[in-house]
Amino acid sequence: MSENRDRAPSLTAEAAPESSLDRAAPAGALSREEAARRVARVLWVTLGLNASVALSKIAYGHASGVLSIRADGFHSLTDSVNNLVGLLGVHFAARPADAGHPYGHAKFEVLAAGCVGLSLLVMAYDVLTSAAARLTGTAAAQQLDPRAFVVLSVTLGVNVAVARYERRQSEVLGSTFLASDAAHTSSDVLVTLGVIATVALVQAGFPILDPVMALGIAGFIAWTGVQILRQNLRYLADAAVLEPHAVRDVVLRVAGVASVHKIRTRGSPGDIHVDLHVQVARHLDVVAAHRVTHWVIDALKSQLTGVTDVVVHTEPAAEGQKFNPMPPE
Ligand SMILES: [Zn+2]
Ligand SMILES: [Zn+2]
């Protein structure tokens, strides 16, 4: 700063070199790049599991001639397709901000997550139409021999494990795709349970319960799909993602700060953008006020999970307004 003071003042503003504060690395726990790498790893593991489930169902269905298992296997194959869509979305989302996308590319992941919601609507439609086909007699009732039951139970276990794994990682990594895909995998669990229950009910002499079950399952899947679409559309439409008081509580503890207003947040859980007005002690000069501004930015990035970008409009506090004491120089 001292060399600036020695330089003769000019009448026109020049592009000033960034201060060291502006070049400081973000204080967040996990960088966007590292989080993206971990999300991709989760998706590769999930892809491997989903593909093995699908291939074993198709192979068994083919060998045994049980059509419903083979069909279920092809459905499981679409889970792997979803994983690939997720990998693509996360890959694009991880690219750093550039001149064309100065706010970064995080919304590519939100778009991919929206595709998961759409695929659930297709799945609900499929459950309904195949039940209707059985009802009208154009398709045979589902049958399960004991070995088929074993195949379904094993794949059910894999699905439960995948859903739990994705759910936990989505929270740790702030990934909307993993959260959406976890909800989708939970729906798969329900579908498989439905297949088992329906076969049991039909064999026990209650065939009328087949369409009733199908209606219930399709309704639940469609509802899950709509929830996923709604949530991700909210992210795309810049809905608020943090409670303003959560931001205010952090900022009001920063030295030099008197008050805060016009708090706005948007983005998705792993990529939250915050902008706000901060009123600082009015005796501070520009250099000190700039320092306070960066304390605010660092406090928000380090104390609120998922905050990646903070823009502060700094203004002087009112005359006589109380402010947090500044630390000794
Ligand atoms: Zn700065
Ligand atoms: Zn203001």
Side-chain angles (χ1 to χ4, degrees), residues 25-32 35 103 106 171-175 240-244 246-248 250-251 263-276 293-312:
L30 208 62
S31 73
R32 284 276 314 151
Y103 290 99
E171 283 158 13
V172 174
L173 301 172
S175 164
V241 280
L242 292 177
E243 292 290 341
V247 174
R248 184 176 297 114
V250 170
V251 176
I263 295 169
R264 301 193 298 183
T265 62
R266 64 199 173 95
S268 51
D271 183 52
I272 299 172
H273 296 247
V274 181
D275 61 79
L276 69 167
T293 301
H294 274 274
W295 291 338
V296 168
I297 294 171
D298 291 346
L300 287 172
K301 283 185 178 173
S302 61
Q303 291 174 44
L304 297 178
T305 309
V307 171
T308 53
D309 181 47
V310 181
V311 177
V312 182

Side-chain angles (χ1 to χ4, degrees), residues 165-214:
Y165 176 54
E166 285 185 317
R167 165 88 47 220
R168 213 173 320 127
Q169 293 297 315
S170 78
E171 283 158 13
V172 174
L173 301 172
S175 164
T176 180
F177 185 87
L178 286 183
S180 303
D181 206 45
H184 161 235
T185 311
S186 303
S187 301
D188 289 346
V189 171
L190 193 76
V191 170
T192 308
L193 283 175
V195 169
I196 295 174
T198 303
V199 169
L201 287 169
V202 169
Q203 284 174 352
F206 303 102
I208 186 61
L209 288 178
D210 179 4
V212 175
M213 287 278 292

Side-chain angles (χ1 to χ4, degrees), residues 14-15 34 42 46 56 73 86 92 99 102 109 117 142 169 185 199 208 223 240 255 257 275 312:
E14 290 168 27
E34 178 58 23
V42 173
T46 314
S56 51
F92 285 120
E109 184 186 342
Q142 300 179 89
Q169 293 297 315
T185 311
V199 169
I208 186 61
W223 182 78
V257 169
D275 61 79
V312 182

Side-chain angles (χ1 to χ4, degrees), residues 42-93:
V42 173
L43 284 173
W44 279 116
V45 170
T46 314
L47 176 64
L49 289 170
N50 281 337
S52 344
V53 164
L55 293 180
S56 51
K57 276 185 194 166
I58 292 172
Y60 178 82
H62 192 72
S64 66
V66 180
L67 290 179
S68 61
I69 298 225
R70 216 177 62 154
D72 201 37
F74 281 110
H75 160 236
S76 295
L77 216 50
T78 65
D79 296 348
S80 310
V81 174
N82 267 334
N83 294 147
L84 287 173
V85 170
L87 280 166
L88 215 60
V90 169
H91 169 76
F92 285 120

Side-chain angles (χ1 to χ4, degrees), residues 149-164:
F149 185 77
V150 170
V151 172
L152 283 187
S153 304
V154 170
T155 59
L156 194 67
V158 173
N159 277 342
V160 170
V162 164
R164 288 189 52 179

